[in-house]
Amino acid sequence: SLRDEDGREYLRAEAKAQVGAVPPGGFQHINQILNFAAIGFGKAGRYGFHLSWDGQEKARIDLNVVKTVSPKQ
């Protein structure tokens, strides 16, 4: 899910992946492509992508949204 700096869920996306057997202590890498092209952020600030697996948060990727001004032409 994507959450704002107050911890409120901004959006949620779910995906399923098939993972083969992983030996104890091993790793498995899976690529997932999720389309967030149409997202508009309501305000500048800190957001975080919270990644969960089987209902447990495993990672967080922080995102800082800044307001910019287009240069005059």
Side-chain angles (χ1 to χ4, degrees):
S1 66
L2 176 63
R3 299 180 191 167
D4 67 13
E5 57 193 343
D6 296 322
R8 290 182 297 241
E9 190 170 81
Y10 197 71
L11 72 88
R12 173 181 288 272
E14 293 186 20
K16 294 188 179 210
Q18 291 186 359
V19 180
V22 179
F27 291 93
Q28 179 75 305
H29 295 277
I30 299 171
N31 293 322
Q32 282 288 348
I33 299 173
L34 302 172
N35 185 354
F36 295 113
I39 293 177
F41 292 93
K43 63 179 183 173
R46 292 178 178 246
Y47 294 82
F49 286 99
H50 295 255
L51 308 175
S52 298
W53 185 268
D54 288 336
Q56 294 184 343
E57 187 171 309
K58 297 293 183 179
R60 186 179 86 205
I61 301 166
D62 293 325
L63 174 67
N64 191 30
V65 175
V66 296
K67 183 176 181 177
T68 61
V69 178
S70 298
K72 294 182 180 183
Q73 296 182 3

